[in-house]
């Protein structure tokens, strides 16, 4: 490219970065507080509506907790994926994802405590295998005690939480360090460790999916299940990232000049791709179990094909796959903030419903509309808190990696 | 292809014939500015040529979105619908086949094919659609004869306007491009000489076309010679796999040995040795001695054999004969399904607990399992000698005897049952240890 053009582009970049560093802050500062208070109210109201028993609250809590974890992990995946592929286009949206993955680990770790504590309380704990007399009555599962026991379960959980904490902080702190000294070596360090991060991420997501969700039904197993959970994480993480970016721009936390329609278009394509991936994995799991028709496998789908759960299952087929598949296909949909925002919200709701559908039928052959509405309200509250944390981070730190060597490429990114 | 045949430049037909004009610009920015001017001036047959994609060029050239996505979407939908209809017709209508009790037309089994055909149709349409919509293959582009075109993949930013554009005029267009800031402007003359396809290439293609007909010809011939059925070998054996191996078949001739026998006789002075081998009891393999059927089991009857027999029966026999061996509504799944579908060739299984089979000696039942049942030259029950080893067949016979006795008990069974009921306070128990009397065949 001509040197004249490059120079003008760089000057343009500098002024853009200047404007991004000083976002219009009118009425901005109170948005995180409003989000966090609104989120807390939504969660409490959701619990009141959905159930009246501690056991029911705990079950809803697990859904909300996995929802929070999945959005965090989706963002973390996005961050190291950019370094893994040495992506230049995504630099301006990467900081928001770094904040999603890097400022939430403490919340994720602390929020696990109620689940850990109730493991020791018979009658309240979520996991049937943790009950003291479970293996007395289920001799056929006794070989699983090697894996499904409370100390080992907690050890694995601690490993996962520590790994996510470390990964999230790793990418955020190094990216922030580059903001101050502008050393391109930070980029190389983050790239160098991204394959290891991918491996660690894979192992921990697999463990968490097996432990926290699949072991709710100790007799059932599906080897593709962690992939299913992973695909949902990425859908939730990308939809959350898009929604937070749109909100941050609308509220003035992020300049419109650094994150443009081109970035939204690419994020929308990624989200669209992972919606299909989710459907591919979900159907792969379903078809093998349907074809084999073996009781210990089909017991997972049987309760989910009866009563109201049948309609939730069909709702997922349409809402989580077919409607976004057709709806998000046109280019114009992904380039319009309103339609893209609509599908981000839509997919967040259905991603939450997917987790609800995985977890809740383990206890309830049916579910009332009030309980479902309460649950969704709780999910909205959880996401409100995520928004608050990220918006707060966007004011505390530079909202984009201002001295990233690929920043120029990202600002002038164009989907040809 | 032959662009000098239909140029609309009527007014200058006496002048040297041009197919287009190529202008070179100094930078991407200049090219963008020029492109905006050219599209604003209303030119239609023109293009920009750059060594790398330039942001904003599509907008500057006012290139409208292609219709290719709609073609791809339509082809994908056609693939999905085609796959669905094909599978519905093949599995549900034309050739319904019972596959592990699933419905003939069941959507989950069809989804992979639907997915694959959707992707295939969409991908092929995208590939060939892009080629066709881009006007490819185009061996000679009007601008490519210009000298500056040689550097288009390194550092030249070019605009070409074709002569077929209604606004094209050799001198005026060139002058106008110069005024737009072009560093150099070249008029491209029509290529000299013959632009038709050389005769040698035409002949080569003809030879190739004839050669391409040979494989289908061989296939047609191969089919002609082997129309009789059944066939011993596949009509066309393309993939040999392990069908033809460099080894001797049984009774084959070998030039290696003086006696020309590939199968070698036992070496003199040796004996075959198997420490566990002992001759089976008489009738163990056939169920009869001479022409008389065995009336007693040639094996030791134990509870373990009974359990084995029940297990094997449930695996091999129950699919047709049912769990109890009674004919009619208690038939196995295969039989019930065949009757429900009104299969004309289906022979319902015989009742194992009925009088006829009850009166058969054990050797006869064994023979039936071994050889199957032939009725009017067709197996109404296939032989099971291949699937079930002899000792298991005897175990099944034992279990069949138990089923028969459950259906038609001996008088002492009632006394025994009454005694059990009075002591244990329960009725007949299905899994009670077997009466050892059962070992003896006690036909009336």
């Amino acid at each position: 490219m001509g040197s004249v053009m490059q120079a003008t582009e760089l000057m343009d970049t500098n002024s853009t970065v200047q404007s991004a560093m000083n976002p219009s802050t009118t009425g901005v500062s109170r948005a995180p507080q409003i989000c966090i208070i609104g989120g807390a109210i939504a969660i409490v109201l959701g619990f009141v509506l959905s159930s009246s028993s501690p056991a029911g609250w705990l079950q809803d809590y697990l859904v909300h907790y996995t929802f929070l974890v999945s959005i965090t992990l989706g963002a973390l995946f996005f961050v190291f994926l950019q370094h893994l592929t040495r992506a230049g286009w995504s630099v301006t949206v990467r900081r928001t994802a770094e904040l999603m993955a890097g400022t939430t680990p403490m919340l994720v770790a602390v929020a696990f405590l109620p689940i850990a504590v109730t493991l020791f309380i018979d009658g309240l704990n979520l996991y049937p295998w943790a009950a003291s007399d479970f293996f007395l009555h289920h001799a056929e599962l006794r070989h699983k005690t090697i894996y499904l026991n409370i100390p080992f379960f907690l050890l694995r959980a601690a490993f996962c939480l520590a790994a996510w904490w470390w990964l999230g902080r790793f990418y955020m702190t190094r990216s922030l360090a580059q903001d101050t000294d502008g050393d391109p070596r930070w980029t190389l360090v983050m790239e160098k460790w991204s394959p290891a991060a991918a491996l660690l991420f894979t192992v921990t997501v697999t463990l968490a999916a097996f432990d926290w969700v699949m072991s709710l039904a100790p007799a059932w197993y599906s080897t593709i299940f962690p992939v299913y959970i992973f695909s949902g994480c990425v859908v939730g993480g990308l939809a959350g990232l898009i929604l937070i970016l749109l909100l941050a721009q609308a509220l003035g936390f992020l300049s419109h000049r650094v994150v443009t329609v081109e970035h939204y278009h690419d994020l929308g394509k990624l989200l669209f791709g992972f919606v299909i991936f989710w459907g591919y994995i979900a159907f792969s799991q379903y078809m093998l179990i349907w074809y084999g028709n073996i009781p210990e496998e089909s017991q997972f789908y049987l309760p989910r094909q009866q009563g109201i759960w049948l309609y939730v299952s069909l709702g997922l087929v349409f809402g989580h796959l077919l409607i976004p598949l057709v709806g998000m296909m046109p280019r114009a949909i992904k380039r319009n903030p309103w339609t893209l925002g609509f599908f981000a919200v839509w997919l967040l709701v259905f991603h939450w419903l997917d987790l609800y559908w995985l977890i809740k039928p383990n206890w309830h052959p049916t579910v009332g509309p009030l309980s479902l509405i309460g649950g969704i309200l709780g999910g909205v509250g959880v996401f409100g808190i995520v928004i608050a944390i990220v918006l707060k981070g966007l004011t505390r730190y530079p909202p984009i990696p201002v001295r990233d060597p690929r920043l120029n490429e990202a600002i002038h990114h164009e989907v040809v | 292809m032959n662009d000098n045949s239909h140029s609309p430049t009527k007014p200058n037909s006496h002048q040297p014939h041009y197919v287009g004009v190529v202008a070179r610009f100094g930078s991407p920015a200049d090219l963008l500015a020029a492109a905006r001017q050219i599209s604003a001036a209303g030119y239609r047959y023109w293009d920009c040529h750059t060594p790398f994609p330039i942001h904003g060029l599509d907008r500057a050239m006012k290139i409208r979105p292609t219709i290719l996505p709609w073609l791809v979407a339509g082809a994908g939908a056609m693939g999905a619908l085609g796959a669905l209809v094909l599978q519905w017709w093949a599995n549900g209508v034309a050739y319904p086949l019972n596959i592990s009790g699933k419905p003939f037309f069941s959507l989950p089994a069809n989804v992979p094919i639907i997915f694959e055909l959707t992707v295939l149709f969409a991908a092929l349409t995208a590939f060939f659609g892009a080629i066709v919509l881009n006007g490819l293959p185009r061996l000679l582009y009007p601008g490519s004869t210009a000298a500056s075109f040689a550097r288009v993949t390194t550092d030249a930013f070019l605009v070409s306007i074709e002569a077929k554009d209604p606004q094209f005029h050799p001198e005026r267009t060139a002058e106008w491009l110069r005024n737009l800031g072009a560093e150099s402007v070249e008029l491209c003359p029509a290529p000299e000489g013959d632009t038709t396809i050389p005769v040698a290439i035409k002949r080569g293609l003809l030879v190739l076309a004839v050669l391409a007909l040979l494989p289908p010809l061989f296939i047609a011939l191969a089919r002609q010679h082997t129309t009789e059925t059944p066939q011993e070998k596949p009509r066309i054996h393309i993939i040999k796999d392990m069908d033809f191996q460099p080894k001797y078949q049984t009774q084959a001739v070998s030039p290696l040995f003086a006696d020309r026998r590939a199968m070698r006789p036992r070496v003199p002075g040796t004996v075959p040795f198997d420490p566990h081998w002992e001759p089976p009891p008489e009738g163990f393999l056939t169920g009869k001695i001479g022409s008389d059927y065995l009336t007693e089991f040639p094996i030791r009857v134990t509870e373990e054999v009974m359990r084995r027999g029940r297990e094997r029966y449930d695996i091999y026999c129950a699919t047709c004969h049912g769990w109890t061996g009674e004919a009619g509504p208690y038939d196995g799944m295969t039989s019930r399904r065949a009757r429900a579908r009104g299969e004309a060739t289906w022979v319902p299984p015989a009742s194992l607990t009925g009088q006829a089979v009850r009166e058969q000696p054990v050797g006869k039942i064994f023979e039936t399992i071994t050889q199957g049942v032939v009725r009017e030259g067709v197996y109404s029950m296939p032989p099971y000698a291949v699937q079930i080893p002899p000792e298991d067949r005897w175990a099944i016979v034992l279990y069949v005897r138990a089923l028969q006795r459950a259906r038609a008990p001996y008088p002492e069974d009632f006394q025994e049952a009454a005694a059990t009921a009075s002591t244990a306070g329960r009725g007949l128990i299905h899994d009670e240890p077997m009466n050892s009397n059962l070992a003896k065949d006690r036909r009336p």
Side-chain angles (χ1 to χ4, degrees):
Chain A
M1 205 176 290
S3 60
V4 179
M5 182 142 176
Q6 214 162 36
T8 44
E9 269 196 5
L10 278 176
M11 272 165 61
D12 180 33
T13 302
N14 288 337
S15 74
T16 307
V17 170
Q18 286 300 320
S19 76
M21 291 298 289
N22 307 307
S24 59
T25 47
T26 43
V28 153
S29 52
R30 256 191 288 152
Q33 282 89 325
I34 293 168
C35 280
I36 210 155
I37 292 166
I41 292 171
I43 290 173
V44 171
L45 200 62
F47 277 127
V48 170
L49 281 178
S50 70
S51 176
S52 55
S53 72
W57 290 330
L58 199 61
Q59 292 153 12
D60 266 25
Y61 185 85
L62 182 65
V63 178
H64 298 330
Y65 181 68
T66 48
F67 183 57
L68 170 71
V69 170
S70 69
I71 290 171
T72 307
L73 290 182
L76 178 63
F77 173 76
F78 180 80
V79 171
F80 74 69
L81 186 69
Q82 305 317 309
H83 292 296
L84 201 60
T85 55
R86 296 185 174 174
W89 68 271
S90 56
V91 169
T92 50
V93 299
R94 213 184 63 219
R95 175 58 45 82
T96 311
E98 282 166 358
L99 291 171
M100 281 171 76
T103 54
T104 44
M106 197 196 284
L107 179 65
V108 169
V110 171
F112 185 71
L113 288 178
I115 296 166
V117 169
T118 50
L119 276 179
F120 296 96
I121 307 170
D122 267 10
L124 191 59
N125 82 63
L126 289 162
Y127 298 93
W129 53 263
S132 47
D133 60 344
F134 176 76
F135 288 104
L136 278 178
H137 302 307
H138 294 84
E140 76 281 5
L141 298 177
R142 229 166 258 169
H143 60 280
K144 291 194 178 182
T145 44
I146 305 166
Y147 188 84
L148 292 180
N149 59 73
I150 294 175
F152 194 26
F153 178 86
L154 290 178
L155 190 70
R156 291 190 303 266
F159 171 64
C160 293
L161 294 171
W164 300 334
W165 188 318
W166 183 77
L167 281 172
R169 301 297 298 183
F170 176 87
Y171 281 104
M172 197 174 87
T173 51
R174 269 142 196 84
S175 183
L176 287 173
Q178 197 174 46
D179 283 354
T180 48
D181 65 11
D183 192 343
R185 262 194 337 184
W186 291 119
T187 302
L188 294 177
V189 167
M190 289 190 279
E191 279 172 8
K192 184 179 147 191
W193 285 102
S194 55
L199 280 177
L200 189 58
F201 177 84
T202 312
V203 171
T204 49
V205 169
T206 304
L207 288 178
F210 280 153
D211 286 4
W212 300 353
V213 187
M214 202 167 96
S215 85
L216 290 169
W220 182 70
Y221 57 91
S222 162
T223 46
I224 205 174
F225 191 74
V227 189
Y228 179 78
I229 291 285
F230 160 73
S231 64
C233 284
V234 183
V235 169
L238 286 171
L241 178 62
I242 290 171
L243 192 59
I244 290 178
L245 284 168
L246 286 168
L247 281 172
Q249 285 194 323
L251 296 172
F253 283 82
L254 195 58
S255 163
H256 283 276
R257 289 175 65 187
V258 289
V259 178
T260 64
V261 64
E262 309 294 338
H263 299 100
Y264 285 118
H265 188 185
D266 271 356
L267 286 170
K269 284 191 281 190
L270 261 182
L271 178 58
F272 177 71
F274 273 94
V275 162
I276 298 175
F277 182 66
W278 177 90
Y280 191 94
I281 297 301
F283 180 74
S284 298
Q285 176 175 286
Y286 175 75
M287 192 187 73
L288 285 198
I289 290 175
W290 173 83
Y291 231 125
N293 205 12
I294 302 168
E296 57 260 46
E297 290 178 355
S298 55
Q299 60 171 315
F300 175 79
Y301 286 105
L302 203 58
R304 288 166 178 82
Q305 290 182 353
Q306 285 160 359
I308 191 156
W309 290 117
L310 171 68
Y311 298 102
V312 177
S313 304
L314 288 174
L316 283 173
V317 172
F318 283 90
H320 205 310
L321 178 67
L322 296 179
I323 291 173
L325 174 73
V326 177
M328 285 183 74
M329 206 182 281
R331 176 185 158 100
I333 298 288
K334 292 179 289 249
R335 290 179 75 87
N336 179 325
W338 288 103
T339 49
L340 185 68
F342 168 79
F343 275 110
V345 172
W346 174 279
L347 281 170
L348 273 175
V349 170
F350 275 96
H351 171 53
W352 179 89
L353 189 69
D354 182 27
L355 293 167
Y356 192 74
W357 174 85
L358 285 174
I359 290 169
K360 207 75 172 173
N362 285 304
W363 301 279
H364 302 282
T366 184
V367 62
L370 209 60
S371 177
L372 190 60
I373 290 168
I376 291 176
L377 208 56
V380 170
V382 169
F383 192 71
I385 288 170
V386 174
I387 296 174
I389 292 172
V390 177
L391 289 187
K392 197 76 196 159
L394 285 174
T395 54
R396 190 182 300 167
Y397 309 109
I400 56 169
V402 279
R403 296 172 82 176
D404 190 290
R406 298 196 179 95
L407 182 62
N408 184 39
E409 183 184 342
I411 285 176
H412 296 280
H413 174 56
E414 190 177 353
V415 181
V416 181
Chain B
M1 291 295 142
N2 204 350
D3 278 296
N4 54 7
S5 58
H6 55 275
S7 174
T9 54
K10 290 271 156 42
N12 297 296
S13 51
H14 60 281
Q15 288 195 345
H17 207 84
Y18 296 115
V19 290
V21 62
V22 171
R24 188 160 71 90
F25 290 87
S27 72
D30 294 345
L31 184 76
L32 277 174
R36 282 193 200 98
Q37 297 281 328
I38 297 167
S39 61
Y43 280 94
R44 281 165 60 202
Y45 295 94
W46 67 287
D47 207 349
C48 293
H49 312 270
T50 60
F52 48 79
I54 289 176
H55 291 173
L57 193 57
D58 286 14
R59 273 195 302 281
M61 291 176 69
K62 292 210 175 74
I63 292 179
R64 279 170 297 138
T66 161
I67 62 155
L68 191 59
W70 291 103
L71 298 180
V72 172
M78 256 175 60
L81 193 69
L84 186 67
V85 171
L86 174 73
Q87 290 176 97
W88 162 79
W89 181 76
N91 296 339
V93 179
Y95 199 82
L97 198 60
N98 180 7
I99 298 168
S100 59
K102 300 274 193 282
F104 295 127
F105 174 64
S106 46
L107 206 53
N110 297 344
V111 167
I113 307 287
I114 293 174
F115 175 77
E116 299 297 340
L117 278 199
T118 308
V119 172
L120 181 75
F121 277 43
L124 288 180
T125 307
F127 181 75
F128 290 108
I131 286 180
V132 170
L133 289 177
N134 278 313
L136 297 173
R138 193 171 189 186
L139 301 179
L140 185 67
Y141 185 76
S144 58
T145 52
S148 53
F149 225 82
R151 296 178 69 176
V152 75
T153 53
T154 51
D155 60 356
F157 305 99
L158 305 180
V159 164
S160 71
I161 298 176
E162 294 182 44
K164 67 177 171 184
D165 193 288
Q167 296 198 46
F168 179 82
H169 181 280
E171 283 79 29
R172 282 204 292 275
T173 304
E175 184 58 31
W176 184 68
L177 284 170
R178 245 176 239 112
N179 291 339
L180 285 181
E183 290 187 346
S184 72
V185 175
E186 281 178 75
L187 279 164
C188 306
E192 288 171 19
D194 188 11
T195 55
T196 54
I197 301 170
V199 180
I201 291 180
K202 281 183 181 167
R203 282 185 187 150
L205 287 174
L206 190 68
V207 170
L208 276 181
V210 171
L211 285 177
L213 287 176
L214 287 180
L217 196 68
F218 282 125
I219 292 171
L221 285 174
R223 285 186 66 87
Q224 198 101 62
H225 288 133
T226 55
T227 43
E228 75 276 7
T229 50
Q231 318 233 336
E232 283 187 8
K233 285 178 187 164
R235 285 169 174 165
I236 301 158
H237 213 97
I238 297 168
I239 298 160
K240 301 282 188 282
D241 288 335
M242 295 170 76
D243 297 344
F244 305 109
Q245 299 177 20
K247 68 170 189 189
Y248 286 117
Q249 304 287 331
T250 319
Q251 312 287 357
V253 175
S254 164
L256 276 177
F257 301 101
D259 58 4
R260 303 180 65 76
R261 284 159 58 177
M263 294 169 76
R264 303 311 301 156
R266 187 154 52 80
V267 176
T270 59
V271 283
F273 176 75
D274 178 358
H276 304 296
W277 189 84
E278 53 188 54
E282 233 182 328
F284 176 77
L285 294 172
T286 55
K288 52 188 176 187
I289 300 169
S291 58
D292 298 329
Y293 288 112
L294 290 188
T295 54
E296 298 206 6
F297 284 88
I299 53 168
R300 233 169 66 82
V301 170
T302 59
E303 199 177 322
E304 200 186 329
V305 174
M306 182 62 87
R307 287 194 190 285
R308 176 78 181 169
R310 178 180 182 173
E311 184 193 78
R312 298 291 108 178
Y313 177 90
D314 287 352
I315 291 172
Y316 292 110
C317 316
T319 49
C320 286
H321 287 282
W323 308 112
T324 61
E326 289 170 54
Y330 305 110
D331 272 359
M333 185 200 280
T334 310
S335 180
R336 271 182 286 148
R337 191 170 180 86
R339 274 193 277 116
R341 295 190 50 223
E343 291 276 5
T345 57
W346 180 253
V347 180
S351 165
L352 298 181
T353 55
Q355 181 107 25
V357 182
R358 277 215 313 276
E359 287 179 359
Q360 287 177 357
V362 289
K364 171 68 180 163
I365 301 178
F366 180 89
E367 192 191 63
T368 305
I369 301 174
T370 308
Q371 299 184 354
V373 180
V374 177
R375 198 170 294 174
E376 291 166 13
V378 188
Y379 279 117
S380 57
M381 167 177 157
Y384 278 81
V386 177
Q387 295 97 313
I388 315 176
E391 51 269 40
D392 282 350
R393 270 177 260 154
W394 283 113
I396 290 173
V397 174
L398 181 64
Y399 182 63
V400 168
R401 273 283 184 264
L403 289 175
Q404 291 170 349
R405 188 147 158 199
R407 191 84 188 99
Y410 301 155
E412 62 257 39
D413 292 339
F414 289 106
Q415 292 154 14
E416 205 174 301
T420 317
S422 62
T423 52
R426 288 182 296 176
L428 275 165
I429 300 158
H430 189 61
D431 255 350
E432 279 295 291
M434 292 304 155
N435 189 341
S436 58
N437 282 342
L438 208 62
K440 285 201 159 56
D441 195 46
R442 293 186 44 179
R443 283 182 295 123

